[in-house]
Amino acid sequence: MTQSTPTPVIVQPQEQGPGCLIRILYFLLVGLWLGGIVTVVAWVLNVTIIGLPLGLWLLNRLPQIMTLKPVKRQARVMVVDGKVIYRESSLPQPPFLLRALYFVLVGWWFSALWLALAWLLTGVSLGLGLPLAFWMFDQTPAITTLARY
């Protein structure tokens, strides 16, 4: 009796998005002005109760809009009854009530200061502060609503 070996499961990782050079060029040519417009629109929407969900959605997408940062996904591979199941999902988020309370008490004003500082760093440093500014723009969802992005 020969023992058969199981077939290995190969999972292709998701593409990591464009490289650093492309992201910098995009930021300088498109992301800088588009991000500014989206930031202003998001904060105007946040002032209104009705526009708050869309404003927060825009602020959570700011890293992608400004710097083409790829969305982080969580991948799971499971074998159930001999079948391979592959599932992708977004990162788990803190509880909604905690995020809402944080936004009301801290997130709305702190993220405004955070974004103003990132914009100031971008303009004043003549490009030398771009790595730090990229990081600051990427952290905007966490600063605003504790979102894991």
Side-chain angles (χ1 to χ4, degrees):
M1 179 165 114
T2 60
Q3 199 174 26
S4 64
T5 58
T7 308
V9 178
I10 300 172
V11 178
Q12 295 290 332
Q14 198 174 17
E15 281 191 40
Q16 297 300 315
C20 187
L21 181 61
I22 299 295
R23 287 180 68 190
I24 289 172
L25 288 174
Y26 172 84
F27 176 76
L28 293 173
L29 298 175
V30 177
L32 194 58
W33 61 266
L34 182 60
I37 292 170
V38 169
T39 301
V40 170
V41 168
W43 278 107
V44 168
L45 288 169
N46 284 348
V47 169
T48 68
I49 299 298
I50 294 172
L52 186 62
L54 181 57
L56 291 176
W57 184 83
L58 287 171
L59 285 176
N60 285 338
R61 301 303 181 282
L62 198 59
Q64 199 172 13
I65 292 167
M66 290 189 70
T67 66
L68 295 178
K69 179 184 181 189
V71 176
K72 290 183 183 178
R73 310 268 311 157
Q74 191 175 49
R76 292 184 181 188
V77 179
M78 299 175 287
V79 178
V80 179
D81 296 330
K83 295 178 184 175
V84 176
I85 300 172
Y86 177 80
R87 291 191 181 156
E88 282 189 9
S89 62
S90 59
L91 296 174
Q93 300 295 326
F96 174 76
L97 289 177
L98 175 65
R99 292 178 64 196
L101 184 63
Y102 173 83
F103 174 75
V104 169
L105 297 177
V106 177
W108 68 273
W109 63 266
F110 186 55
S111 62
L113 291 174
W114 184 264
L115 285 170
L117 184 61
W119 282 104
L120 185 65
L121 181 65
T122 301
V124 171
S125 69
L126 301 173
L128 296 176
L130 280 181
L132 182 57
F134 269 38
W135 178 79
M136 290 178 76
F137 289 126
D138 286 348
Q139 297 303 313
T140 300
I143 298 296
T144 308
T145 64
L146 298 177
R148 291 186 66 207
Y149 196 74

